[in-house]
Coordinates of all heavy atoms in Angstrom, one line a residue:
Q76 N -8.9 12.5 -6.4 CA -8.0 13.3 -5.5 C -6.6 12.8 -5.5 O -5.7 13.5 -5.0 CB -8.6 13.3 -4.1 CG -9.9 14.0 -4.0 CD -10.5 14.0 -2.6 OE1 -11.2 13.1 -2.2 NE2 -10.2 15.0 -1.8
I77 N -6.3 11.6 -5.9 CA -4.9 11.2 -6.1 C -4.6 11.0 -7.6 O -3.7 10.3 -8.1 CB -4.6 9.9 -5.4 CG1 -5.5 8.7 -5.8 CG2 -4.6 10.1 -3.9 CD1 -5.0 7.3 -5.3
G78 N -5.5 11.7 -8.4 CA -5.2 11.8 -9.9 C -5.7 10.7 -10.7 O -5.3 10.6 -11.9
V79 N -6.5 9.8 -10.2 CA -7.1 8.7 -11.0 C -8.6 9.0 -11.2 O -9.4 9.0 -10.3 CB -6.9 7.4 -10.2 CG1 -7.5 6.2 -11.0 CG2 -5.4 7.1 -9.9
A80 N -8.9 9.1 -12.5 CA -10.3 9.5 -12.9 C -11.2 8.3 -13.0 O -11.8 8.1 -14.1 CB -10.3 10.4 -14.1
K81 N -11.3 7.6 -11.9 CA -12.2 6.4 -11.9 C -13.2 6.6 -10.8 O -12.9 7.2 -9.8 CB -11.4 5.1 -11.6 CG -10.5 4.7 -12.8 CD -10.1 3.3 -12.7 CE -9.7 2.7 -14.0 NZ -8.3 2.8 -14.3
R82 N -14.4 6.0 -11.0 CA -15.5 6.2 -10.0 C -15.3 5.3 -8.8 O -16.0 4.3 -8.7 CB -16.9 6.1 -10.7 CG -17.0 7.1 -11.8 CD -18.4 7.1 -12.4 NE -19.3 8.0 -11.7 CZ -19.4 9.3 -11.9 NH1 -18.6 9.9 -12.8 NH2 -20.3 10.0 -11.2
V83 N -14.4 5.7 -8.0 CA -14.0 4.9 -6.8 C -13.9 5.8 -5.6 O -13.3 6.9 -5.7 CB -12.7 4.1 -6.9 CG1 -12.3 3.3 -5.7 CG2 -12.7 3.2 -8.2
L84 N -14.6 5.4 -4.5 CA -14.5 6.2 -3.2 C -14.1 5.3 -2.1 O -14.3 4.1 -2.1 CB -15.9 6.7 -2.8 CG -16.8 7.4 -3.8 CD1 -18.1 7.7 -3.1 CD2 -16.1 8.7 -4.3
V85 N -13.4 5.9 -1.1 CA -13.2 5.2 0.2 C -13.6 6.1 1.3 O -13.4 7.3 1.3 CB -11.6 4.9 0.3 CG1 -11.3 4.4 1.7 CG2 -11.2 3.8 -0.7
I86 N -14.4 5.4 2.2 CA -14.9 6.2 3.4 C -14.7 5.4 4.6 O -14.8 4.2 4.7 CB -16.4 6.5 3.2 CG1 -16.6 7.5 2.0 CG2 -17.0 7.1 4.5 CD1 -18.1 7.8 1.7
E87 N -14.3 6.1 5.7 CA -14.2 5.5 7.0 C -14.5 6.6 8.0 O -13.8 7.5 8.3 CB -12.8 4.9 7.3 CG -12.5 4.8 8.7 CD -12.2 3.4 9.2 OE1 -11.2 2.8 8.7 OE2 -13.0 2.9 10.0

Side-chain angles (χ1 to χ4, degrees):
Q76 292 179 272
I77 56 167
V79 178
K81 290 199 161 92
R82 299 186 89 83
V83 179
L84 313 176
V85 169
I86 293 177
E87 157 116 66

